[in-house]
């Protein structure tokens, strides 16, 4: 693969907020998506590795799959208030012995004193904007999965108020999971009829929606 042309890297969220007053926030989940047709190897790096504990800092992501990476801040104190640390996640081809980087993306971590009352609504708006920037302009054929993605933010926020996931949430998650397992358009090696082949944009939308649902469930667990 041409080293000058790096693959886009899809993660959620792009900033981790550790709240001093909320111990449950001292552990955050970063979701990495693999919308591609091949296995990816990843590695998480940090500018301040002694301040964080990263579970599964290295690993693989199955084609059209995702992986959750748990990141715990070890020093959520006023001394680190409003200090931003940078992380970088790098992708490699699984069978490349030279571990040449084929994609990378930076994200940040910050310690805050508390969450503003309007934080949930602004966060939902930020998530919607992030989803739009990741997906780009979707063709008309993406409408069914796009609707699932747009409604997922509402489902996720409602989960924060109710413990068990609703039937609708589970159904949307199942639809997204099935979409990720379907062959990509143009893949002639699959025996399924062409009507069941979906575009890469549709798979990205499904992966994003499934990630939001997963985040909501983990936050309530």
């Amino acid at each position: 693969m041409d080293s000058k042309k790096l693959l886009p890297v899809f993660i959620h969220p792009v900033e981790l907020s550790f709240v001093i007053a909320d111990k449950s926030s001292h552990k955050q989940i970063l979701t990495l998506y693999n919308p591609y047709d091949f296995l990816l190897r990843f590695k998480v790096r940090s500018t301040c590795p002694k301040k964080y504990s990263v579970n599964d800092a290295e690993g693989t992501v199955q084609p059209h799959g995702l992986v959750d990476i748990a990141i715990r801040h070890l020093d959520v104190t006023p001394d680190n208030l409003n200090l931003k640390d940078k992380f970088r996640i790098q992708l490699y081809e699984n069978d490349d012995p030279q571990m040449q980087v084929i994609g990378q993306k930076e994200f940040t971590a910050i310690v805050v004193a508390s969450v503003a009352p309007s934080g949930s609504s602004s966060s939902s708006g930020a998530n919607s904007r992030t989803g739009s920037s990741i997906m780009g302009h979707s063709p008309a054929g993406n409408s069914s999965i796009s609707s699932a993605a747009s409604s997922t933010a509402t489902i996720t926020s409602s989960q924060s108020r109710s413990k068990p996931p609703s039937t609708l949430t589970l159904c949307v998650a199942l639809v997204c999971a099935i979409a990720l397992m379907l062959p990509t358009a143009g893949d002639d090696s699959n025996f399924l009829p062409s009507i069941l082949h979906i575009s890469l944009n549709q798979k990205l939308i499904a992966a994003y929606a499934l990630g939001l649902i997963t985040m909501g469930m983990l936050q309530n667990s």
Side-chain angles (χ1 to χ4, degrees):
M1 180 173 294
D2 185 359
S3 59
K4 295 182 180 179
K5 186 177 180 181
L6 298 180
L7 292 176
V9 180
F10 300 97
I11 60 172
H12 179 81
V14 294
E15 182 173 271
L16 306 177
S17 296
F18 300 91
V19 184
I20 294 178
D22 183 7
K23 290 187 177 181
S24 65
S25 73
H26 297 183
K27 177 182 177 181
Q28 297 286 332
I29 301 296
L30 180 82
T31 303
L32 169 65
Y33 309 99
N34 177 9
Y36 305 107
D37 295 325
F38 50 90
L39 187 70
L40 287 176
R41 182 171 294 278
F42 71 88
K43 181 179 291 188
V44 180
R45 301 179 182 274
S46 172
T47 55
C48 300
K50 293 184 178 180
K51 290 169 59 177
Y52 299 89
S53 172
V54 182
N55 291 349
D56 301 323
E58 299 183 40
T60 58
V61 194
Q62 295 296 323
H64 312 296
L66 55 86
V67 64
D68 289 328
I69 304 167
I71 301 177
R72 181 182 295 276
H73 200 305
L74 303 178
D75 191 20
V76 186
T77 61
D79 293 338
N80 293 313
L81 186 62
N82 296 327
L83 291 180
K84 280 192 175 184
D85 296 319
K86 289 185 178 180
F87 286 81
R88 176 179 295 171
I89 189 161
Q90 296 177 321
L91 302 182
Y92 314 88
E93 290 187 74
N94 187 52
D95 55 356
D96 182 8
Q98 297 181 350
M99 298 287 285
Q100 181 179 358
V101 177
I102 61 173
Q104 62 183 15
K105 187 177 184 68
E106 290 188 351
F107 61 97
T108 57
I110 185 172
V111 173
V112 296
S114 61
V115 178
S118 59
S120 59
S121 60
S122 62
S123 175
S124 299
N127 288 341
S128 300
R129 292 191 294 272
T130 302
S132 301
S133 62
I134 288 177
M135 304 313 161
H137 296 286
S138 300
N142 295 350
S143 58
S144 59
I145 300 180
S146 298
S147 299
S150 61
S151 62
T152 303
T154 303
I155 295 172
T156 305
S157 62
S158 65
Q159 280 186 336
S160 62
R161 295 187 295 270
S162 59
K163 292 296 181 182
S166 65
T167 303
L168 176 60
T169 303
L170 296 176
C171 289
V172 172
L174 180 61
V175 169
C176 293
I178 293 174
L180 290 174
M181 291 186 288
L182 290 175
T184 307
D187 182 8
D188 299 329
S189 61
N190 197 283
F191 64 90
L192 292 176
S194 59
I195 194 172
L196 294 178
H197 292 210
I198 64 176
S199 68
L200 180 60
N201 277 344
Q202 288 175 310
K203 288 198 171 187
L204 292 179
I205 294 171
Y208 178 73
L210 188 59
L212 287 179
I213 294 174
T214 303
M215 288 284 292
M217 291 181 176
L218 289 173
Q219 287 175 356
N220 290 329
S221 61

